[in-house]
């Protein structure tokens, strides 16, 4: 998961579906011209392997993807998926027949046979078959959570004893991994090289002939030196291979150890994906990976991409009729929460992972080109060796090769067979030596080890690099497209300014300045229209607020205004949720009040929400038309944005309960009304610039690397932060050509975008697709683009440039990434 903490931020947006990769400007006649090595087809990869020198294919291709194993892995995945679907269909057919015979008789839930009233086999069978009948027999999701001793709202207790019981009863969220190869395996592979085998044979023959002709004291020199050189090459190769294997093993373990948020004892805590247990309640947001098998507790517009398990690319919508979630799938849209019912090897994903071997080999663009160079040099070396062998043999057998005393080494009919063999072996040894020297076997090896070493060094700086090509590409970058929130700023947000009606609150968290009607509506909207959480410890400790940085800031502000989070949420029922949308820059929720009234609350980018407002509350709680006051609010928003504050507006509208869809299907497809809103408040959130960023930008600029800011925030806020960070040197630089909104850039034609791309320094109010368009335009202009970001809205652009960077918990990555490029 990429930047989970920022999934629902104001700048964040949904992860777009993976698009088909295009190989542009590829020369079919050049087998080493591979435009995109990350998603290259197997035919493309096989093409350049076939063109490479195969004299020592084992060593040459040891550090790249094993195509045979990769094809076998794909076939195994397809086979397992097919078998799973066949078994599932057969069981569903049998269950349908059983239901006919039992005439719908309800089977009683299992009796308590241990710590829990349901066993592992029953859960595994239900998960595997997506058996809604079994789920209903357990009493639905509510009944199943009771059987698993889980509170569907607060989760499990989460203490060590509880976790230990659950792991003993249902297993842990891990799966058996195949052991890495031992050092002796690498040693065995190292000597199985055609060149080395020829040298070993030459060494043995030379050693025997030398001892026979010159005696042991001097005769072992030639053969012994060759044998020593071969032994040294084998040892160095084996040690290098083994060390690299360990490096990639550690890298994979770090990459797979994902931290996710889990609801335990009423609070959201960050735990390793390996520590998830059956009974856990896990919130799901756009861009998340489903970490285990489970059933849906509640969800709004929840759509899951199950292509990783079913092989089909269509998005599946989840609701109470289709509640089963499979481990390893991605949340494509919406929000929800799930009850974990299967972990580790007891899931289909766990079975898949346990049955395949991760092949860490991968081609970087530099490696592909160097293999082409190595092939050319190798062919030249072979040609020279063949020519030398032919010339030396001809000279020897024609009598032109002479001893130190001037006599011919070969005289027809007089030279002994042993002497002839000795002379031929020496000539062959010279030719083989030329091949060994000419073929640059160490070139691909040296590049791979250098890149692997770079990855380890970057990991020491809290930067996890997923692909080898990242280390290679970053050193060649000519421009950086950087996100703002959490990258150039600290991502530590607080509400520092607030307008309620025409009144500016001073201080912004003084609840006495608010009319009770405005206060209640404001707190109601903030408490429900959020994916965050407020936890108040029972022992009276400090209140804990979780969620995205923007939501944490607004929730903390509401807590200071007197919000009782759990109590407010209990006073009404959520009818429908419109999750924050990066395109519309806002999110909403519809609430059914105890009085049967319906309130619809919206929260999002200030100028966008303001445009949908027709009324506002004055300081006395009276509704007023906003037409004459819109200029006032726009000036207030611009003023806050100019001081680098993020502006968020909160609004609501009452709604006729008779117009609310009455069935679940209608509610799921209900489009929340977003017009005729009543403005409740506009808040300004301060996110300080990250220390050291200005120096990093200055160093990058001096090195010829242009830094561009691409953000979903207000254009004025983006410009203010750019000036503070040094991306814009002065207000005079902030012209229409250098500072632009995403919608304007989006409207240009492809040709115009390419012309504008190089001039753009700051892009505000950009969507994920706008960021992707900018990166593509810059690449077409010949730029080597690096992208840094920490939210799902950055995913398409990051995917485009082959580089994925994960920030550490302290988010030290961004500044170090900027600095390292210089």
């Amino acid at each position: 998961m990429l930047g989970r903490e920022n999934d629902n931020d104001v700048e964040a947006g949904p992860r777009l579906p993976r698009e088909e990769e295009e190989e542009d400007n590829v020369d079919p006649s050049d087998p080493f011209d591979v435009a995109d090595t990350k998603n290259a087809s197997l035919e493309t990869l096989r093409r350049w392997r076939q063109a490479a020198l195969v004299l020592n294919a084992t060593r040459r291709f040891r550090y790249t993807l094993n195509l045979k194993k990769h094809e076998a892995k794909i076939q195994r995945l397809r086979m397992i998926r097919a078998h799973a679907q066949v078994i599932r269909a057969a069981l569903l057919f049998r269950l349908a027949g059983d239901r006919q015979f039992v005439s719908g008789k309800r089977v009683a839930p299992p009796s308590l046979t241990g710590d829990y009233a349901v066993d592992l086999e029953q859960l595994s069978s239900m998960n595997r078959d997506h058996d809604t009948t079994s789920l209903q027999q357990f009493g639905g999701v509510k009944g199943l959570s009771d059987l698993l001793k889980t509170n569907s709202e607060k989760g499990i207790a989460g203490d060590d004893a509880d976790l230990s019981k659950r792991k003993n009863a249902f297993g842990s969220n891990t799966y058996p991994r195949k052991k890495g190869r031992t050092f002796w395996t690498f040693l065995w592979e190292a000597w199985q090289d055609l060149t080395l085998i020829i040298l070993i044979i030459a060494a043995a023959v030379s050693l025997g002939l030398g001892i026979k002709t010159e005696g042991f004291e001097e005769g072992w020199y030639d053969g012994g030196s060759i044998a020593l050189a071969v032994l040294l090459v084998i040892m160095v190769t084996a040690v290098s291979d083994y060390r690299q294997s360990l490096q990639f093993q550690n890298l994979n373990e770090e990459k797979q150890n994902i931290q996710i948020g889990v609801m335990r004892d009423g609070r959201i805590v960050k735990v390793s994906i390996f520590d998830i247990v059956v009974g856990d309640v896990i919130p799901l947001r756009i861009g998340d990976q489903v970490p285990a098998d489970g059933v849906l507790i509640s969800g709004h517009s929840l759509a899951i991409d199950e292509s990783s398990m079913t092989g089909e690319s269509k998005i599946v919508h989840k609701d109470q009729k289709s509640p089963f979630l499979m481990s390893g799938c991605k949340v494509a849209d919406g929000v929800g929460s799930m009850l974990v019912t299967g972990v580790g090897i007891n899931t289909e994903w766990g079975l898949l992972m346990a049955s395949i071997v991760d092949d860490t080999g991968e081609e970087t663009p530099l490696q592909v080109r160097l293999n082409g160079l190595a092939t050319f040099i190798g062919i030249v070396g072979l040609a020279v060796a063949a020519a030398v062998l032919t010339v030396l043999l001809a000279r020897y057998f024609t009598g032109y090769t002479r001893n130190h005393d001037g006599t011919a080494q070969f005289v027809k009919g007089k030279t002994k067979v042993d002497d002839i063999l000795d002379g031929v072996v020496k000539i062959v040894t010279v030719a083989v030596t030329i091949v060994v020297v000419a073929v640059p076997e160490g070139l691909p090896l040296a590049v791979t080890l250098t890149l692997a070493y770079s990855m380890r060094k970057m990991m020491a700086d809290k930067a996890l690099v997923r692909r080898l090509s990242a280390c290679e590409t970053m050193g060649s970058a000519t421009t950086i497209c950087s996100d703002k929130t959490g990258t150039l700023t600290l991502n530590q947000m607080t509400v520092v300014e607030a307008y309620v009606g025409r009144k500016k609150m001073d201080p912004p968290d003084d609840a006495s300045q608010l009319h009770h009607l405005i206060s209640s509506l404001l707190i109601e909207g903030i408490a429900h229209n959020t994916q965050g959480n407020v936890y108040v410890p029972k022992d009276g400790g400090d209140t804990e607020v979780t969620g995205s940085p923007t939501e944490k800031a607004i929730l903390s502000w509401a807590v200071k205004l007197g919000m009782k989070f759990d109590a407010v949420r209990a006073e009404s029922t959520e009818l429908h949720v419109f999750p924050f949308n990066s395109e519309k820059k806002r999110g909403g929720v519809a609430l059914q009040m105890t009085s049967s009234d319906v309130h619809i609350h919206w929260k999002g980018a200030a100028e966008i929400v303001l445009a949908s407002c027709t009324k506002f509350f004055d300081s006395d709680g009276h509704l007023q038309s906003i037409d004459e006051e819109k200029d006032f609010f726009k000036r207030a928003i611009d003023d806050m944005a100019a001081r680098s504050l993020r502006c968020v507006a909160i609004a609501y509208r009452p709604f006729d309960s008779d117009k609310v869809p009455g069935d679940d299907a209608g509610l799921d497809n209900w489009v929340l009304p977003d017009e005729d809103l009543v403005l409740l408040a506009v808040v300004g959130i301060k996110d300080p610039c990250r220390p050291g960023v200005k120096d990093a930008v200055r160093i990058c600029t001096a090195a010829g690397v242009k830094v561009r800011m691409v953000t979903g925030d207000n254009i004025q806020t983006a410009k203010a932060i750019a000036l503070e960070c040094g991306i814009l040197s002065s207000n005079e630089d902030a012209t229409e050509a250098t500072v632009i909104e995403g919608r304007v850039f989006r409207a240009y034609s492809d040709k115009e975008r390419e012309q504008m791309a190089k001039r753009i320094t700051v892009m505000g109010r950009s969507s994920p697709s706008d960021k992707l368009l900018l990166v593509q335009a810059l690449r077409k202009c010949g730029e080597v683009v690096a992208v840094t970001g920490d939210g799902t809205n950055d995913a398409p652009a990051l995917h485009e440039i082959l580089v994925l960077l994960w920030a550490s918990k302290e988010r030290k990555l961004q500044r170090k990434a900027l600095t390292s490029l210089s």
Side-chain angles (χ1 to χ4, degrees), residues 641-644 715-724 726-739 761-762:
R643 288 181 283 117
S644 70
I715 192 71
Q716 299 296 331
T717 306
K719 186 167 69 173
I721 291 292
L723 287 167
E724 189 177 347
I727 295 176
L728 290 174
S729 57
S730 64
N731 278 309
E732 287 71 25
D733 292 338
T735 62
E736 289 186 7
T738 57
V739 180
T761 304
V762 177

Side-chain angles (χ1 to χ4, degrees), residues 456-470:
R456 297 296 299 175
K457 293 290 287 183
M458 293 184 72
M459 287 177 65
D461 288 336
K462 306 297 183 184
L464 178 58
V465 182
R466 187 179 182 185
R467 306 192 69 85
L468 275 175
S469 55

Side-chain angles (χ1 to χ4, degrees), residues 91-313:
L91 287 172
L92 290 174
F93 181 77
R94 190 190 71 184
L95 287 171
D98 291 343
R99 281 199 296 273
Q100 264 190 330
F101 287 108
V102 301
S103 300
K105 288 184 179 179
R106 177 185 171 89
V107 181
S111 58
L112 184 63
T113 56
D115 290 327
Y116 304 96
V118 59
D119 60 30
L120 175 60
E121 181 56 36
Q122 291 170 318
L123 288 178
S124 298
S125 175
M126 182 186 70
N127 293 331
R128 181 178 61 248
D129 307 329
H130 288 191
D131 191 354
T132 53
T133 302
S134 296
L135 180 60
Q136 293 305 316
Q137 290 171 2
F138 293 142
V141 177
K142 180 65 171 64
L144 183 58
S145 62
D146 292 339
L147 296 177
L148 292 173
K149 298 182 179 180
T150 298
N151 186 310
S152 58
E153 294 181 356
K154 296 185 177 181
I156 63 176
D159 55 74
D160 292 340
D162 184 32
L163 295 176
S164 178
K165 282 183 181 179
R166 293 178 185 275
K167 287 181 179 179
N168 290 334
F170 305 109
S172 62
N173 199 31
T174 56
Y175 48 85
R177 300 181 185 275
K178 298 187 183 298
K179 293 183 179 180
R181 293 184 295 175
T182 63
F183 175 74
W184 301 108
T185 305
F186 288 103
L187 197 64
W188 173 260
E189 290 181 351
W191 78 269
Q192 295 183 32
D193 179 86
L194 181 58
T195 307
L196 293 180
I197 292 173
I198 293 173
L199 284 175
I200 291 171
I201 295 173
V205 174
S206 179
L207 188 63
L209 293 176
I211 293 174
K212 180 181 178 181
T213 56
E214 301 179 19
F216 182 78
E217 292 184 358
E218 296 183 1
W220 67 273
Y221 289 163
D222 291 341
S225 60
I226 296 175
L228 182 62
V230 170
L231 182 62
L232 184 62
V233 169
I234 291 174
M235 289 300 297
V236 169
T237 303
V239 170
S240 299
D241 291 354
Y242 183 61
R243 286 176 61 85
Q244 188 198 25
S245 175
L246 293 180
Q247 284 179 334
F248 278 110
Q249 186 176 341
N250 294 336
L251 182 64
N252 278 329
E253 289 176 0
E254 186 73 21
K255 180 180 69 177
Q256 293 164 356
N257 187 19
I258 301 169
Q259 298 292 314
I260 66 171
V262 179
M263 180 68 74
R264 289 182 178 173
D265 197 24
R267 63 195 292 191
I268 295 179
V269 296
K270 290 286 182 180
V271 301
S272 168
I273 193 173
F274 302 131
D275 294 332
I276 291 173
V277 295
V278 169
D280 264 327
V281 174
I282 300 177
L284 297 175
R285 305 172 187 171
I286 296 172
D288 289 354
Q289 176 176 312
V290 180
D293 281 1
V295 293
L296 181 67
I297 297 174
S298 63
H300 298 280
S301 306
L302 187 65
I304 305 295
D305 179 6
E306 295 185 347
S307 59
S308 59
M309 294 303 298
T310 64
E312 299 179 8
S313 58

